[in-house]
Amino acid sequence: MRPAEAAPARTRAIAATNSVVTGWGAGEAASVSIVRPGDVEELRATVESASRGQTLPRGMGRSYGDAAQISGGLVIETTRLKRIEFDRGRGTVPAQAGVTIGELLREAVPADWIVPVVPGTRHVTVGGAVAGDIHGKNHGTAGTFGTHVEAISLLRADGELVELRPGTPDGHFAATVGGMGLTGIVVDARIKLSSVRGAMLSVDTDRVSSLDDALAALVAPGGPHRVAWLDLLCAHPGRGIVTRAQHVDTPGEGKAVIHSRGTVPRAWPGGALRPGVVRSFNALKFASARRGRAGSTLPQSRSVCSTPTTSLRIGTRSSGRSPKPTASTWS
């Protein structure tokens, strides 16, 4: 019998290490085995050798809950999958799962493009953004991240790499966007960017004294990016700060250089978040908010704080009208 031709050498699964992981909410930690594949073949080999039902993908670990941890199981972290292929002409970017939003912005903004949906942190991976179908402060007009994804490469549990596109009758694309990794591991995604001219924003800021005032400010004239921070530690909870923003044309200005303002610890020292400390922080934040909209008549609040809860951010749909340009640095 003629000997069969030698099969191409298969990539061996990389060794796992023991680790303890948590979500961004710093809830209960999980002891896991973790691997960090450096390319698609290492990722495929790891998936093929993994036990069924005992494996989860993980990005930067910024989920508020315990979505990317499984006690005693295998966690496949995708943060080493970093390839980006930016098409400046079409404004699309195929990016591997481990690329972060911040890395996309550094590539796109100098070329007058922007990721259309940016969450509260730039330290979120493309794979996690697809799996969680994240939203940003412009959710009322831009929708979720998945709305702007043109195609997904998905590695299934059987080791097959498939391409998913929106609108296909099998529904696999829709099940993967927001599917939290349960249909397979997102290897890369092609994202349609939004056009901007410069890295600057026109910003409106209002201090409000009640929830009703906050809701009124959120639907007032302004840009599509809008958020409200409410102080819930006051005797009359509801005072807060409402911010609305939109991009302005500043061609050639601003290169999306993001400077860190400090390092946030993974765990806070005991007592740091006691009501008295948070109450003082809330009062300072409210007092230091700069007014950004000329002629605002929204009332101010100087109520005495007492109720022991925390603070809250909310957002709503833009009215579509434009504010007067004011101070505006983008990050």
Side-chain angles (χ1 to χ4, degrees):
M1 183 169 154
R2 183 178 176 182
E5 294 182 3
R10 296 179 64 87
T11 303
R12 297 180 60 184
I14 57 178
T17 59
N18 295 327
S19 183
V20 176
V21 297
T22 65
W24 183 241
E28 186 176 353
S31 297
V32 301
S33 296
I34 192 166
V35 294
R36 297 177 176 88
D39 55 41
V40 176
E41 289 310 311
E42 286 186 352
L43 176 62
R44 189 199 306 271
T46 300
V47 169
E48 290 178 343
S49 65
S51 299
R52 296 291 180 90
Q54 294 295 319
T55 305
L56 284 178
R58 179 181 176 89
M60 291 288 287
R62 289 307 199 270
S63 172
Y64 284 109
D66 58 358
Q69 56 197 76
I70 178 171
S71 295
L74 177 67
V75 169
I76 302 177
E77 187 179 289
T78 63
T79 52
R80 293 178 60 200
L81 302 178
K82 289 290 191 182
R83 191 179 70 245
I84 301 177
E85 298 176 8
F86 182 29
D87 185 336
R88 294 170 181 260
R90 293 187 62 241
T92 60
V93 54
Q96 285 191 316
V99 176
T100 66
I101 298 296
E103 290 165 341
L104 288 181
L105 292 174
R106 279 193 289 271
E107 291 282 335
V109 174
D112 292 338
W113 297 98
I114 190 173
V115 182
V117 173
V118 178
T121 172
R122 68 183 186 274
H123 304 295
V124 173
T125 62
V126 167
V130 171
D133 198 15
I134 61 173
H135 69 278
K137 300 302 182 286
N138 59 342
H139 181 67
T141 56
T144 61
F145 191 87
T147 306
H148 308 276
V149 174
E150 296 182 338
I152 298 170
S153 291
L154 184 77
L155 185 64
R156 302 196 310 195
D158 59 4
E160 183 181 0
L161 187 65
V162 297
E163 183 179 79
L164 309 179
R165 293 177 178 270
T168 53
D170 59 20
H172 291 172
F173 180 92
T176 299
V177 174
M180 302 305 290
L182 298 180
T183 61
I185 299 179
V186 174
V187 175
D188 60 55
R190 187 170 73 244
I191 305 156
K192 178 62 177 175
L193 305 176
S194 295
S195 176
V196 294
R197 288 182 56 80
M200 306 294 284
L201 290 170
S202 168
V203 180
D204 279 350
T205 301
D206 284 301
R207 288 185 292 184
V208 297
S209 61
S210 68
L211 177 60
D212 286 341
D213 290 334
L215 294 174
L218 281 168
V219 297
H225 303 274
R226 43 189 63 209
V227 64
W229 170 88
L230 301 180
D231 182 358
L232 303 184
L233 283 174
C234 293
H236 303 287
R239 76 172 184 181
I241 303 165
V242 176
T243 304
R244 302 179 302 279
Q246 66 179 3
H247 281 274
V248 293
D249 287 352
T250 53
E253 296 185 22
K255 296 182 179 180
V257 177
I258 304 172
H259 299 287
S260 175
R261 297 181 181 178
T263 301
V264 179
R266 292 291 295 183
W268 291 90
L273 296 181
R274 291 178 179 175
V277 176
V278 178
R279 185 179 296 117
S280 298
F281 171 83
N282 287 356
L284 178 63
K285 180 179 177 72
F286 180 78
S288 62
R290 293 187 299 176
R291 299 295 300 278
R293 188 158 73 88
S296 173
T297 58
L298 291 171
Q300 304 291 308
S301 171
R302 299 188 61 183
S303 56
V304 178
C305 300
S306 63
T307 310
T309 51
T310 55
S311 61
L312 173 70
R313 288 188 175 190
I314 57 177
T316 188
R317 181 178 298 274
S318 167
S319 63
R321 292 173 288 177
S322 302
K324 298 179 180 179
T326 58
S328 52
T329 55
W330 179 83
S331 61

